[in-house]
Amino acid sequence: MVHIRDVASGDAEALLALNNQAVPAVNGHDADSLSELLAMADRGWVVDDGGRIGGMLVAFTPGAKYESLNYRRLSRRYDDFAYVDRIVIASTHRRLGLAGRLYDVLAGHAADLGHRRLLCEVNVEPPNPQSIAFHEASGWQAIEDHEHSPGKVVRFFERRLDVRLDGRP
């Protein structure tokens, strides 16, 4: 049975493999840097499929000592958010609605903390058209594109928690 739970210390090896299989959609890590990321994060969740990890989401809220350029850029602009640093679904678990379930868990957590929006970025260069299409179809609104360097462009997305998908409060 597939369920979503908090990241546990025993997940480290599986999360590292899952993360690095998703490069360049997410930044690669080694065991130490991923451990540091998870320790700094506000929360992390995994899709647990009978002991196999089928996905993960790592999120930050305002005030973290996280040096990500994307997180810092959004932190300067907003003060009431949960930032999706990474969401990865294993190739064996795609098209099962698991990314949406992870986002719903995050939305509930963010709302409990009093935050009004979820924020994330998706690569435009190198291209990640599946993720862009998923976010657009799931009610996320593009807020800006940002070029980090030649060949590295991200699109920032926002999902307001105080607005229904039909656009009404």
Side-chain angles (χ1 to χ4, degrees):
M1 168 170 272
V2 174
H3 68 282
I4 296 174
R5 63 168 173 78
D6 288 328
V7 170
S9 59
D11 297 331
E13 188 175 320
L15 293 179
L16 181 63
L18 179 65
N19 184 86
N20 290 342
Q21 288 167 3
V23 173
V26 298
N27 295 332
H29 277 282
D30 61 27
D32 290 338
S33 65
L34 184 59
S35 177
E36 287 176 27
L37 176 80
L38 293 171
M40 280 187 289
D42 174 62
R43 291 289 290 273
W45 295 272
V46 297
V47 173
D48 186 325
D49 186 4
R52 286 185 346 175
I53 302 298
M56 71 171 164
L57 185 150
V58 178
F60 288 82
T61 52
K65 295 183 188 296
Y66 184 37
E67 295 301 320
S68 158
L69 296 175
N70 294 325
Y71 172 78
R72 290 284 169 221
R73 184 176 185 86
L74 293 170
S75 291
R76 287 190 298 273
R77 187 170 179 177
Y78 302 103
D79 62 1
D80 63 341
F81 65 88
Y83 167 73
V84 179
D85 181 71
R86 63 199 58 235
I87 182 169
V88 179
I89 303 298
S91 59
T92 56
H93 288 75
R94 291 190 184 137
R95 303 230 179 255
L96 301 174
L98 298 171
R101 285 180 57 191
L102 282 166
Y103 275 144
D104 288 345
V105 169
L106 174 61
H109 173 70
D112 287 347
L113 294 175
H115 299 307
R116 296 183 313 200
R117 62 181 45 94
L118 304 181
L119 300 170
C120 73
E121 81 275 344
V122 177
N123 288 343
V124 174
E125 286 296 325
N128 191 344
Q130 296 86 1
S131 185
I132 289 172
F134 168 82
H135 285 86
E136 289 173 344
S138 299
W140 291 73
Q141 300 296 312
I143 51 178
E144 80 172 306
D145 286 6
H146 178 69
E147 182 175 8
H148 286 283
S149 60
K152 178 64 176 173
V153 178
V154 297
R155 178 163 301 146
F156 292 107
F157 284 92
E158 172 186 41
R159 178 176 155 196
R160 293 291 304 253
L161 300 177
D162 54 352
V163 175
R164 298 183 334 201
L165 289 180
D166 62 8
R168 295 185 301 178

